Amino acid sequence: MLGSLQENPKSTSYDGRDDDERIKYVIRKSVLLTFPWILATAFLFVVPILVPLIVSQVPKGAPAILDGGSVLILTVLWYLFVFGFFLQNVLNWFFNVLIITNKKIVDVDFVGILYKNISETTLDNIEDVTSNVAGAIGVTFNIGALYIQTAAEKREFEFGGVDDPSKIRDVLSDLVARVKNHEHNA
């Protein structure tokens, strides 16, 4: 469930799915790309614990900046912010997906809690699928981007940060070839 590439997921759907449509793959960004914001969340969580240690270094007799009630309110607000930061990143990672079905590809972009954008095109509209792996982290862990060129209104689908983009490119290219070959023979 938490992998970058899920094959034949059982209880997955999306807005606009046809009754005869089967989801073959759900692709999301690599789990490795979650580490920066997970580490940032851990750091932000620890900051209020470190503040009393820093304040204890203030010389005795210095005026207090905040009273106990204000410190409590600021701490609660801080942890609400940290929770919101964490939740926002989890939701973005989990719901920003590329879905490959037996009929089309669907790019779901979830931005914040209040906005989502769903773009789709049929497999027969796909003209080119390109994968790209760049940078030290990308090459080391085989994380890259997919670029899907279409003949549809939305000319290019871009999905970055995926594990093994060449495998996904090959799978998608094979599906497109099968669909176009089936239409050509029909």
Side-chain angles (χ1 to χ4, degrees):
M1 177 171 139
L2 295 179
S4 177
L5 175 66
Q6 292 178 302
E7 190 170 351
N8 298 317
K10 297 296 179 223
S11 59
T12 301
S13 191
Y14 66 91
D15 295 342
R17 180 177 171 201
D18 297 337
D19 292 335
D20 62 338
E21 195 171 10
R22 291 181 327 278
I23 295 177
K24 293 193 166 284
Y25 296 94
V26 174
I27 303 158
R28 64 179 42 93
K29 290 187 179 196
S30 174
V31 175
L32 289 173
L33 298 179
T34 64
F35 288 133
W37 57 261
I38 288 174
L39 290 173
T41 301
F43 174 76
L44 292 172
F45 186 81
V46 172
V47 165
I49 298 167
L50 298 175
V51 169
L53 297 174
I54 296 168
V55 171
S56 69
Q57 301 303 315
V58 175
K60 301 290 184 203
I65 299 172
L66 299 171
D67 62 353
S70 298
V71 170
L72 178 64
I73 290 170
L74 286 175
T75 304
V76 168
L77 290 174
W78 181 266
Y79 281 120
L80 282 173
F81 166 77
V82 172
F83 176 74
F85 174 78
F86 180 75
L87 183 64
Q88 173 74 29
N89 281 291
V90 167
L91 292 175
N92 280 340
W93 176 79
F94 190 78
F95 288 113
N96 283 332
V97 294
L98 180 67
I99 300 171
I100 301 173
T101 73
N102 60 320
K103 296 169 70 175
K104 57 190 164 189
I105 61 166
V106 181
D107 181 16
V108 180
D109 294 323
F110 184 86
V111 181
I113 297 173
L114 302 175
Y115 177 79
K116 73 177 173 181
N117 182 44
I118 300 175
S119 303
E120 64 181 50
T121 190
T122 57
L123 293 176
D124 60 344
N125 277 336
I126 295 175
E127 295 177 347
D128 181 55
V129 182
T130 304
S131 64
N132 181 5
V133 175
I137 292 175
V139 172
T140 303
F141 296 106
N142 195 19
I143 298 172
L146 287 172
Y147 302 96
I148 303 165
Q149 192 74 36
T150 71
E153 188 175 318
K154 183 174 179 182
R155 304 280 302 156
E156 185 170 87
F157 288 75
E158 180 180 341
F159 199 78
V162 296
D163 288 324
D164 201 358
S166 59
K167 175 185 176 185
I168 299 168
R169 181 200 66 226
D170 290 342
V171 165
L172 187 54
S173 294
D174 290 346
L175 278 170
V176 169
R178 238 181 277 143
V179 165
K180 288 185 177 184
N181 190 25
H182 178 69
E183 285 179 357
H184 184 65
N185 290 336

